[in-house]
Amino acid sequence: MQEHIFERMAREKDISVEKMRAIISDRIEKDWNDENPVKREQWRKIPYAGEVPTPDEWLNYVVKKIKDDGQEGLLRKYLIW
């Protein structure tokens, strides 16, 4: 079975998956509340169910955007196990 991207990122940083998700969540929260309205608007494009996107909602958005933009090669390049 392939590992989840967050598992891979955590392994590469030698931290737990929970810590990796916390790092991503903190970054989302920071950028969600950025003073720059253009930056905030970009983050608001991410579909989300709660108050801010979760790491999984962010990841789904990024992967879909990469595919929609015809950049699947980026996924193959960076997600080879």
Side-chain angles (χ1 to χ4, degrees):
M1 178 192 293
Q2 291 182 342
E3 65 185 341
H4 190 280
I5 185 66
F6 295 150
E7 292 171 330
R8 180 178 177 186
M9 292 167 67
R11 181 175 42 80
E12 289 176 357
K13 293 188 178 292
D14 196 28
I15 59 176
S16 69
V17 174
E18 293 77 20
K19 178 67 176 170
M20 187 76 251
R21 285 180 177 278
I23 290 169
I24 294 168
S25 291
D26 288 345
R27 181 61 188 261
I28 292 169
E29 181 101 14
K30 176 184 172 282
D31 290 339
W32 188 261
N33 296 309
D34 195 278
E35 292 179 11
N36 182 331
V38 174
K39 195 176 221 182
R40 282 194 319 265
E41 182 180 328
Q42 289 289 27
W43 280 91
R44 296 316 193 262
K45 292 179 181 179
I46 301 171
Y48 61 99
E51 293 183 30
V52 297
T54 64
D56 289 299
E57 289 169 330
W58 166 79
L59 180 61
N60 289 334
Y61 173 79
V62 170
V63 169
K64 182 179 183 320
K65 180 126 179 67
I66 288 170
K67 288 180 178 179
D68 289 350
D69 290 347
Q71 299 294 321
E72 292 90 352
L74 290 174
L75 295 174
R76 285 189 288 279
K77 179 178 178 181
Y78 292 103
L79 299 180
I80 294 175
W81 311 112

XYZ file of all heavy atoms in Angstrom:
697
model
N 0.846 -1.176 0.000
C 0.000 0.000 0.000
C 0.899 1.249 0.000
O 1.907 1.288 0.674
C -0.902 0.004 1.238
C -1.770 1.238 1.309
S -2.623 1.496 2.882
C -3.751 0.144 2.903
N 0.499 2.241 -0.775
C 1.256 3.483 -0.807
C 1.000 4.271 0.469
O -0.095 4.247 1.023
C 0.857 4.326 -2.013
C 1.290 3.733 -3.320
C 0.905 4.648 -4.482
O 0.069 5.507 -4.346
N 1.536 4.426 -5.609
N 2.030 4.980 0.907
C 1.843 5.803 2.085
C 1.180 7.121 1.684
O 1.289 7.576 0.549
C 3.164 6.041 2.798
C 4.164 6.840 2.018
C 5.511 6.964 2.714
O 5.615 6.762 3.931
O 6.469 7.264 2.006
N 0.468 7.696 2.612
C -0.177 8.993 2.404
C 0.918 10.055 2.326
O 1.964 9.932 2.966
C -1.129 9.270 3.568
C -2.017 10.446 3.355
N -1.590 11.734 3.538
C -3.311 10.524 2.964
C -2.581 12.565 3.279
N -3.643 11.851 2.927
N 0.685 11.089 1.571
C 1.692 12.140 1.415
C 2.101 12.731 2.763
O 3.271 13.053 2.977
C 1.213 13.235 0.434
C 2.317 14.272 0.168
C -0.028 13.937 0.964
C 3.500 13.768 -0.554
N 1.163 12.854 3.701
C 1.526 13.395 5.014
C 2.443 12.426 5.761
O 3.312 12.854 6.528
C 0.289 13.714 5.847
C -0.564 14.812 5.260
C -1.923 14.807 5.472
C -0.024 15.833 4.504
C -2.723 15.812 4.950
C -0.812 16.839 3.967
C -2.169 16.831 4.193
N 2.250 11.123 5.563
C 3.146 10.138 6.175
C 4.553 10.289 5.608
O 5.541 10.243 6.353
C 2.629 8.727 5.939
C 1.350 8.412 6.661
C 0.731 7.089 6.251
O 0.906 6.666 5.088
O 0.067 6.496 7.110
N 4.626 10.472 4.308
C 5.934 10.633 3.675
C 6.623 11.913 4.158
O 7.803 11.898 4.493
C 5.797 10.658 2.166
C 7.127 10.826 1.471
C 6.992 10.803 -0.009
N 8.288 11.030 -0.624
C 8.469 11.168 -1.900
N 7.450 11.094 -2.727
N 9.663 11.373 -2.391
N 5.880 13.008 4.195
C 6.453 14.273 4.646
C 6.942 14.158 6.087
O 8.027 14.649 6.423
C 5.408 15.386 4.506
C 5.064 15.717 3.067
S 3.577 16.745 2.907
C 4.117 18.275 3.648
N 6.151 13.511 6.931
C 6.533 13.335 8.338
C 7.786 12.474 8.451
O 8.712 12.802 9.208
C 5.380 12.709 9.116
N 7.819 11.383 7.696
C 8.983 10.498 7.727
C 10.236 11.243 7.293
O 11.295 11.122 7.919
C 8.740 9.284 6.831
C 9.890 8.291 6.818
C 9.576 7.035 6.008
N 8.887 7.259 4.764
C 9.470 7.659 3.611
N 10.760 7.924 3.579
N 8.760 7.802 2.512
N 10.130 12.040 6.235
C 11.282 12.778 5.738
C 11.767 13.829 6.730
O 12.943 14.178 6.747
C 10.954 13.425 4.392
C 10.841 12.400 3.277
C 10.416 13.001 1.945
O 10.141 14.216 1.867
O 10.364 12.238 0.969
N 10.878 14.342 7.568
C 11.255 15.336 8.581
C 11.518 14.693 9.943
O 11.833 15.390 10.905
C 10.163 16.399 8.704
C 10.026 17.260 7.457
C 9.073 18.395 7.710
C 8.960 19.297 6.516
N 10.158 20.046 6.225
N 11.329 13.365 10.006
C 11.523 12.615 11.245
C 10.639 13.150 12.370
O 11.105 13.400 13.496
C 12.996 12.619 11.660
C 13.296 11.540 12.696
O 12.592 10.505 12.701
O 14.223 11.742 13.503
N 9.356 13.354 12.018
C 8.364 13.782 12.997
C 7.133 12.901 12.836
O 7.018 12.139 11.865
C 7.974 15.275 12.830
C 7.403 15.541 11.437
C 9.167 16.181 13.121
C 6.897 16.962 11.231
N 6.208 13.003 13.763
C 4.985 12.212 13.677
C 4.048 12.805 12.623
O 4.145 13.991 12.271
C 4.262 12.173 15.024
O 3.730 13.449 15.330
N 3.139 11.992 12.145
C 2.130 12.458 11.189
C 1.274 13.534 11.842
O 0.925 14.535 11.204
C 1.260 11.281 10.675
C 0.123 11.777 9.799
C 2.116 10.284 9.917
N 0.960 13.353 13.120
C 0.173 14.344 13.835
C 0.890 15.690 13.865
O 0.268 16.739 13.682
C -0.139 13.872 15.268
C -1.066 12.674 15.338
C -0.375 11.346 15.020
O 0.883 11.248 15.097
O -1.094 10.399 14.676
N 2.193 15.680 14.101
C 2.980 16.913 14.112
C 2.993 17.530 12.713
O 2.867 18.750 12.569
C 4.407 16.629 14.596
C 5.312 17.825 14.588
C 4.899 18.861 15.607
C 5.898 20.010 15.635
N 5.448 21.133 16.425
N 3.102 16.700 11.672
C 3.093 17.207 10.300
C 1.769 17.880 9.992
O 1.732 18.969 9.429
C 3.344 16.050 9.322
C 3.532 16.477 7.881
S 5.172 17.197 7.627
C 4.766 18.908 7.397
N 0.673 17.242 10.386
C -0.654 17.837 10.173
C -0.802 19.148 10.957
O -1.393 20.108 10.467
C -1.746 16.865 10.581
C -1.954 15.741 9.594
C -3.060 14.800 10.065
N -3.293 13.770 9.098
C -4.053 13.901 8.006
N -4.660 15.041 7.758
N -4.214 12.907 7.169
N -0.235 19.191 12.156
C -0.298 20.409 12.963
C 0.480 21.548 12.289
O 0.022 22.700 12.280
C 0.239 20.151 14.368
N 1.613 21.236 11.716
C 2.415 22.234 11.003
C 1.628 22.786 9.815
O 1.566 24.001 9.599
C 3.765 21.635 10.548
C 4.660 21.376 11.759
C 4.446 22.543 9.523
C 5.893 20.539 11.451
N 0.999 21.887 9.064
C 0.205 22.311 7.904
C -0.993 23.127 8.362
O -1.304 24.173 7.777
C -0.219 21.086 7.066
C 1.018 20.425 6.449
C -1.218 21.498 5.976
C 0.765 19.056 5.848
N -1.666 22.689 9.415
C -2.812 23.429 9.945
C -2.412 24.829 10.386
O -3.132 25.801 10.123
C -3.441 22.687 11.127
O -4.065 21.513 10.691
N -1.264 24.943 11.056
C -0.787 26.249 11.496
C -0.522 27.163 10.300
O -0.852 28.358 10.334
C 0.492 26.118 12.331
C 0.244 25.530 13.703
O -0.926 25.473 14.146
O 1.234 25.116 14.340
N 0.055 26.608 9.251
C 0.335 27.406 8.050
C -0.958 27.856 7.385
O -1.081 29.004 6.947
C 1.189 26.593 7.083
C 1.547 27.323 5.817
C 2.357 28.589 6.148
N 2.563 29.396 4.990
C 3.671 29.388 4.274
N 4.674 28.608 4.597
N 3.782 30.162 3.225
N -1.935 26.963 7.304
C -3.235 27.323 6.728
C -3.845 28.468 7.526
O -4.294 29.466 6.954
C -4.179 26.103 6.684
C -3.674 25.073 5.670
C -5.606 26.536 6.355
C -4.374 23.719 5.748
N -3.864 28.324 8.837
C -4.453 29.352 9.718
C -3.741 30.689 9.540
O -4.377 31.745 9.435
C -4.374 28.899 11.171
C -4.972 29.871 12.136
C -6.355 29.474 12.588
O -6.754 28.322 12.374
O -7.025 30.339 13.153
N -2.415 30.661 9.492
C -1.629 31.885 9.327
C -1.990 32.574 8.015
O -2.266 33.775 7.983
C -0.141 31.562 9.361
C 0.762 32.743 9.112
C 2.222 32.290 9.078
C 3.136 33.389 8.645
N 3.133 33.618 7.215
N -1.972 31.826 6.930
C -2.247 32.420 5.627
C -3.715 32.779 5.457
O -4.049 33.715 4.739
C -1.784 31.490 4.512
C -0.259 31.398 4.445
O 0.417 32.313 4.953
O 0.250 30.414 3.884
N -4.598 32.035 6.098
C -6.030 32.323 6.063
C -6.308 33.713 6.617
O -7.194 34.424 6.153
C -6.773 31.265 6.877
C -8.255 31.317 6.781
C -9.114 31.881 7.676
C -9.068 30.778 5.741
N -10.406 31.719 7.255
C -10.402 31.043 6.060
C -8.787 30.092 4.560
C -11.460 30.660 5.255
C -9.832 29.699 3.755
C -11.150 29.980 4.111
N -5.531 34.092 7.622
C -5.712 35.376 8.296
C -4.673 36.420 7.882
O -4.481 37.415 8.581
C -5.664 35.169 9.812
C -6.809 34.308 10.285
O -7.957 34.568 9.969
N -6.494 33.253 11.019
N -4.013 36.213 6.764
C -2.976 37.132 6.307
C -3.544 38.532 6.084
O -4.713 38.687 5.712
C -2.364 36.606 5.004
C -1.072 37.294 4.667
O -1.126 38.407 4.109
O -0.006 36.725 4.956
N -2.734 39.537 6.309
C -3.170 40.923 6.103
C -3.390 41.243 4.633
O -4.166 42.139 4.303
C -2.120 41.879 6.690
C -2.025 41.822 8.188
C -0.968 42.769 8.728
O -0.449 43.618 7.960
O -0.669 42.670 9.925
N -2.723 40.529 3.755
C -2.824 40.773 2.315
C -4.154 40.208 1.803
O -4.364 38.996 1.814
C -1.650 40.106 1.601
C -1.651 40.344 0.114
O -2.690 40.516 -0.518
N -0.470 40.340 -0.457
N -5.058 41.062 1.315
C -6.368 40.586 0.867
C -6.286 39.660 -0.343
O -7.108 38.761 -0.490
C -7.145 41.862 0.537
C -6.124 42.928 0.375
C -4.935 42.523 1.196
N -5.291 39.835 -1.181
C -5.138 38.954 -2.351
C -4.786 37.548 -1.881
O -5.336 36.555 -2.370
C -4.070 39.509 -3.323
C -3.796 38.531 -4.452
C -4.494 40.867 -3.872
N -3.892 37.470 -0.921
C -3.498 36.168 -0.368
C -4.692 35.490 0.318
O -4.938 34.304 0.120
C -2.352 36.353 0.623
C -1.642 35.089 0.987
C -0.471 35.418 1.904
C 0.716 34.609 1.545
N 1.849 34.861 2.440
N -5.433 36.257 1.119
C -6.615 35.703 1.790
C -7.618 35.187 0.759
O -8.200 34.115 0.934
C -7.269 36.750 2.682
C -6.591 36.975 3.989
C -7.457 37.754 4.961
N -8.201 38.847 4.375
C -7.808 40.118 4.348
N -6.652 40.461 4.883
N -8.565 41.038 3.795
N -7.817 35.948 -0.311
C -8.772 35.539 -1.352
C -8.353 34.215 -1.988
O -9.203 33.363 -2.269
C -8.866 36.629 -2.419
C -9.871 36.318 -3.509
C -9.939 37.411 -4.564
O -9.721 38.592 -4.215
O -10.208 37.078 -5.723
N -7.070 34.029 -2.216
C -6.581 32.766 -2.785
C -6.922 31.591 -1.865
O -7.358 30.541 -2.311
C -5.066 32.819 -3.015
C -4.667 33.712 -4.140
C -5.051 33.135 -5.491
O -5.984 32.363 -5.648
N -4.338 33.534 -6.500
N -6.725 31.788 -0.563
C -7.013 30.713 0.388
C -8.502 30.414 0.462
O -8.903 29.286 0.698
C -6.454 31.064 1.770
C -4.987 30.780 1.818
C -3.977 31.639 1.519
C -4.374 29.537 2.120
N -2.769 31.005 1.632
C -2.983 29.716 2.002
C -4.851 28.290 2.483
C -2.072 28.690 2.229
C -3.946 27.272 2.727
C -2.576 27.483 2.596
N -9.320 31.441 0.246
C -10.779 31.249 0.311
C -11.310 30.429 -0.868
O -12.451 30.001 -0.855
C -11.522 32.595 0.352
C -11.310 33.534 1.549
C -11.311 32.889 2.874
N -11.396 33.774 4.024
C -10.357 34.177 4.742
N -9.136 33.899 4.378
N -10.537 34.889 5.846
N -10.489 30.183 -1.869
C -10.893 29.359 -3.017
C -10.914 27.872 -2.665
O -11.501 27.078 -3.381
C -9.957 29.596 -4.199
C -10.087 30.981 -4.788
C -9.125 31.176 -5.939
C -9.243 32.580 -6.498
N -8.295 32.809 -7.603
N -10.286 27.512 -1.579
C -10.233 26.108 -1.171
C -11.585 25.701 -0.599
O -12.064 26.328 0.346
C -9.124 25.875 -0.123
C -7.763 26.270 -0.687
C -9.132 24.422 0.357
C -6.649 26.272 0.344
N -12.206 24.652 -1.140
C -13.461 24.173 -0.545
C -13.199 23.627 0.862
O -12.242 22.880 1.081
C -13.903 23.047 -1.476
C -13.140 23.253 -2.741
C -11.858 23.918 -2.348
N -14.044 24.014 1.809
C -13.851 23.567 3.189
C -15.192 23.477 3.888
O -16.149 24.143 3.506
C -12.901 24.512 3.941
C -13.392 25.940 4.037
C -14.010 26.404 5.186
C -13.244 26.820 2.978
C -14.462 27.713 5.282
C -13.682 28.126 3.058
C -14.296 28.564 4.205
O -14.741 29.856 4.292
N -15.244 22.645 4.919
C -16.506 22.415 5.627
C -16.567 23.149 6.964
O -17.642 23.473 7.436
C -16.711 20.917 5.858
N -15.423 23.412 7.567
C -15.400 24.050 8.881
C -15.104 25.534 8.781
O -15.521 26.203 7.840
N -14.363 26.023 9.769
C -14.009 27.445 9.793
C -12.873 27.773 8.834
O -12.825 28.853 8.257
C -13.640 27.866 11.208
C -14.815 27.830 12.171
C -14.431 28.314 13.557
O -13.527 29.161 13.664
O -15.039 27.829 14.519
N -11.927 26.857 8.707
C -10.811 26.982 7.755
C -10.581 25.603 7.150
O -11.001 24.584 7.713
C -9.515 27.488 8.431
C -9.689 28.883 9.002
C -9.023 26.531 9.486
N -9.900 25.531 6.004
C -9.629 24.220 5.415
C -8.762 23.348 6.328
O -7.878 23.844 7.028
C -8.880 24.556 4.128
C -9.216 25.972 3.835
C -9.423 26.629 5.172
N -9.029 22.064 6.298
C -8.187 21.100 6.995
C -6.985 20.776 6.101
O -7.007 21.083 4.898
C -8.952 19.796 7.278
O -9.273 19.190 6.014
C -10.219 20.044 8.089
N -5.957 20.144 6.643
C -4.850 19.728 5.784
C -5.321 18.850 4.613
O -4.832 19.008 3.496
C -3.926 18.956 6.736
C -4.138 19.633 8.050
C -5.628 19.924 8.069
N -6.284 17.965 4.858
C -6.774 17.108 3.772
C -7.546 17.903 2.725
O -7.420 17.632 1.524
C -7.636 15.974 4.327
C -6.800 14.954 5.082
O -5.916 14.345 4.450
O -7.013 14.790 6.285
N -8.343 18.876 3.162
C -9.067 19.720 2.207
C -8.081 20.537 1.379
O -8.239 20.686 0.161
C -10.042 20.647 2.944
C -11.228 19.909 3.523
C -12.058 20.730 4.475
O -11.518 21.634 5.158
O -13.270 20.449 4.568
N -7.041 21.042 2.014
C -5.995 21.775 1.306
C -5.310 20.881 0.281
O -5.132 21.255 -0.880
C -4.973 22.329 2.307
C -3.713 22.791 1.654
C -3.511 23.964 0.994
C -2.486 22.074 1.582
N -2.219 24.016 0.517
C -1.582 22.862 0.862
C -2.066 20.827 2.057
C -0.276 22.455 0.602
C -0.781 20.429 1.802
C 0.105 21.237 1.085
N -4.927 19.670 0.701
C -4.241 18.744 -0.196
C -5.129 18.378 -1.382
O -4.660 18.372 -2.531
C -3.815 17.485 0.564
C -3.084 16.428 -0.258
C -1.790 16.978 -0.839
C -2.829 15.197 0.594
N -6.397 18.069 -1.140
C -7.315 17.743 -2.236
C -7.409 18.891 -3.227
O -7.421 18.675 -4.448
C -8.703 17.393 -1.703
C -8.732 16.057 -0.999
O -7.928 15.179 -1.270
N -9.646 15.907 -0.067
N -7.485 20.107 -2.722
C -7.562 21.286 -3.587
C -6.304 21.418 -4.434
O -6.365 21.653 -5.644
C -7.767 22.543 -2.740
C -7.692 23.819 -3.537
C -8.773 24.241 -4.311
C -6.545 24.603 -3.528
C -8.712 25.409 -5.050
C -6.477 25.773 -4.263
C -7.554 26.175 -5.022
O -7.481 27.326 -5.760
N -5.148 21.287 -3.810
C -3.879 21.440 -4.519
C -3.737 20.383 -5.616
O -3.375 20.693 -6.756
C -2.688 21.380 -3.539
C -1.370 21.292 -4.278
C -2.702 22.578 -2.612
N -4.036 19.138 -5.288
C -3.921 18.059 -6.276
C -4.890 18.298 -7.432
O -4.516 18.162 -8.603
C -4.150 16.680 -5.621
C -4.296 15.590 -6.675
C -3.011 16.355 -4.662
N -6.128 18.678 -7.136
C -7.109 18.952 -8.193
C -6.644 20.108 -9.069
O -6.724 20.049 -10.291
C -8.475 19.260 -7.595
C -9.550 19.508 -8.642
C -10.883 19.794 -8.014
C -11.995 19.979 -9.018
N -11.687 20.720 -10.223
N -6.114 21.173 -8.443
C -5.643 22.330 -9.198
C -4.487 21.943 -10.115
O -4.445 22.362 -11.273
C -5.219 23.443 -8.245
C -4.723 24.685 -8.910
C -5.469 25.883 -8.431
C -5.001 27.175 -9.040
N -5.255 27.315 -10.448
N -3.574 21.153 -9.616
C -2.443 20.697 -10.434
C -2.956 19.900 -11.637
O -2.511 20.118 -12.769
C -1.459 19.861 -9.590
C -0.698 20.786 -8.633
C -0.489 19.088 -10.472
C 0.131 20.059 -7.592
N -3.903 19.003 -11.402
C -4.470 18.209 -12.497
C -5.237 19.089 -13.475
O -5.081 18.953 -14.691
C -5.377 17.116 -11.942
C -4.629 15.998 -11.263
C -5.590 14.945 -10.736
C -4.852 13.796 -10.109
N -5.773 12.772 -9.576
N -6.062 19.992 -12.949
C -6.842 20.885 -13.812
C -5.945 21.771 -14.670
O -6.310 22.137 -15.787
C -7.778 21.771 -12.979
C -8.938 21.009 -12.361
O -9.150 19.829 -12.715
O -9.629 21.604 -11.502
N -4.791 22.126 -14.151
C -3.844 22.965 -14.884
C -2.962 22.159 -15.836
O -2.061 22.714 -16.465
C -2.964 23.752 -13.910
C -3.723 24.839 -13.153
O -4.866 25.159 -13.543
O -3.165 25.364 -12.165
N -3.222 20.841 -15.925
C -2.450 19.984 -16.829
C -1.018 19.774 -16.391
O -0.138 19.542 -17.215
N -0.776 19.827 -15.094
C 0.575 19.693 -14.555
C 0.788 18.380 -13.807
O 1.528 18.321 -12.833
C 0.869 20.881 -13.625
C 0.811 22.228 -14.295
C 1.902 22.396 -15.332
O 3.032 21.967 -15.146
N 1.566 23.008 -16.451
N 0.145 17.302 -14.296
C 0.263 16.016 -13.618
C 1.702 15.565 -13.466
O 2.034 14.808 -12.565
C -0.529 14.926 -14.350
C -2.017 15.093 -14.297
C -2.553 15.921 -15.470
O -1.743 16.494 -16.236
O -3.772 16.010 -15.601
N 2.572 16.046 -14.353
C 3.989 15.700 -14.253
C 4.583 16.088 -12.916
O 5.471 15.419 -12.402
N 4.079 17.183 -12.340
C 4.554 17.581 -11.006
C 4.209 16.524 -9.974
O 5.007 16.229 -9.087
C 3.935 18.912 -10.588
C 4.403 20.151 -11.322
C 3.586 21.357 -10.904
C 5.878 20.393 -11.057
N 3.006 15.965 -10.098
C 2.610 14.925 -9.151
C 3.495 13.701 -9.303
O 3.947 13.123 -8.321
C 1.137 14.545 -9.356
C 0.125 15.640 -9.054
C -1.275 15.177 -9.444
C 0.174 16.039 -7.595
N 3.749 13.305 -10.537
C 4.607 12.134 -10.755
C 6.030 12.406 -10.269
O 6.667 11.533 -9.687
C 4.609 11.747 -12.232
C 3.335 11.056 -12.660
C 3.445 10.480 -14.064
N 3.440 11.513 -15.074
C 2.354 12.115 -15.549
N 1.172 11.788 -15.094
N 2.440 13.037 -16.480
N 6.507 13.614 -10.492
C 7.878 13.950 -10.099
C 8.065 13.933 -8.592
O 9.045 13.417 -8.076
C 8.235 15.333 -10.637
C 9.638 15.782 -10.256
C 9.944 17.134 -10.856
C 11.329 17.590 -10.435
N 11.662 18.906 -10.983
N 7.108 14.499 -7.865
C 7.272 14.654 -6.421
C 6.609 13.559 -5.594
O 6.878 13.463 -4.407
C 6.743 16.017 -5.976
C 7.601 17.139 -6.503
C 7.196 17.908 -7.568
C 8.843 17.374 -5.951
C 8.009 18.926 -8.058
C 9.663 18.380 -6.435
C 9.242 19.150 -7.495
O 10.035 20.132 -7.974
N 5.753 12.756 -6.202
C 5.047 11.752 -5.414
C 5.455 10.335 -5.766
O 4.748 9.393 -5.479
C 3.537 11.933 -5.583
C 2.989 13.274 -5.116
C 1.495 13.334 -5.332
C 3.333 13.521 -3.659
N 6.606 10.157 -6.379
C 7.101 8.813 -6.676
C 7.559 8.182 -5.365
O 8.332 8.766 -4.605
C 8.265 8.850 -7.686
C 7.749 9.350 -9.027
C 8.902 7.474 -7.823
C 8.818 9.539 -10.072
N 7.067 6.997 -5.095
C 7.403 6.338 -3.829
C 8.596 5.493 -4.029
O 9.003 4.647 -4.299
C 6.218 5.542 -3.290
C 4.973 6.326 -3.293
C 3.880 6.129 -4.057
C 4.663 7.476 -2.499
N 2.931 7.059 -3.801
C 3.375 7.896 -2.854
C 5.349 8.190 -1.552
C 2.765 9.001 -2.265
C 4.739 9.288 -0.971
C 3.459 9.673 -1.339
